[in-house]
Amino acid sequence: WRFNKYFAIGGGYVDLGELEARGNSIDEPNFTDTIEADALEAWVAGFLPISERFSLFGTLGAFNWDQEVDYADDNGTFSGDSDGTGMTYGVGANYAITERFGVHAAYSWYPEVGDLDDTGHENDRDFYGIGFTWLFGDLGKAAPVVAAAAVAVGAWLGVAMNGTVYPLVLTVGAMSVATALVAWTLVQRHGEAK
């Protein structure tokens, strides 16, 4: 949810991909190793307008990942599952084609996905993407509802992450509430933005 031209919050589901390795070695004859991972994330974004239509942005957030590993060789099979939490970081550029519609390119980094002790695999994941942006309108009186939703998602992620990034989640929630209250107060005093 984009509060203004400088600040937004968001979240979603991320497919972190699948990796399959096959090979043959002295230590591991005829092996197949398959790793799949996905995550739920919540983030805050800061925007730097370069022109009327073009802006750069950076994101900082938390993600809750799940990784599945299936390994097989001539000696047997292993299937494992691990999950955990971490911080995610990203950068990107956005171009507004119209007032409401735009395109963006983004890069996000998801470090240390996996658990060496549980599944034998831990990797950093990179995500490159191109997407579309649609702005639904000004926040106005909906600001408290959006802030409440942001806090609810943040609290849920905090619980899901075993409290490891709880301070960040609470800070994002408090910032969201503060931003929403300021926006709502300004709309009450000065009316909807034009």
Side-chain angles (χ1 to χ4, degrees), residues 88-175:
T88 179
Y89 316 92
V91 294
N94 189 61
Y95 181 76
I97 296 170
T98 69
E99 186 177 318
R100 301 253 182 242
F101 179 72
V103 294
H104 65 267
Y107 164 77
S108 295
W109 182 51
Y110 301 88
E112 300 177 1
V113 174
D115 187 324
L116 288 173
D117 294 332
D118 286 345
T119 61
H121 295 286
E122 180 180 291
N123 305 91
D124 295 346
R125 303 293 177 105
D126 298 298
F127 175 82
Y128 300 89
I130 297 174
F132 298 100
T133 304
W134 180 262
L135 301 176
F136 288 97
D138 297 317
L139 201 54
K141 294 180 181 177
V145 174
V146 173
V151 171
V153 169
W156 169 75
L157 275 173
V159 169
M161 292 184 212
N162 299 322
T164 55
V165 293
Y166 211 75
L168 172 69
V169 172
L170 290 177
T171 302
V172 170
M175 289 172 49

Side-chain angles (χ1 to χ4, degrees), residues 38-88:
D38 57 8
L40 293 173
E41 67 177 343
W43 44 261
V44 295
F47 291 85
L48 175 63
I50 302 299
S51 71
E52 187 71 26
R53 294 188 179 267
F54 183 73
S55 63
L56 301 176
F57 63 88
T59 61
L60 171 65
F63 71 106
N64 186 359
W65 54 264
D66 181 60
Q67 178 173 272
E68 296 178 12
V69 174
D70 293 307
Y71 178 86
D73 64 20
D74 290 343
N75 298 319
T77 62
F78 167 79
S79 291
D81 180 309
S82 61
D83 56 47
T85 60
M87 300 292 294
T88 179

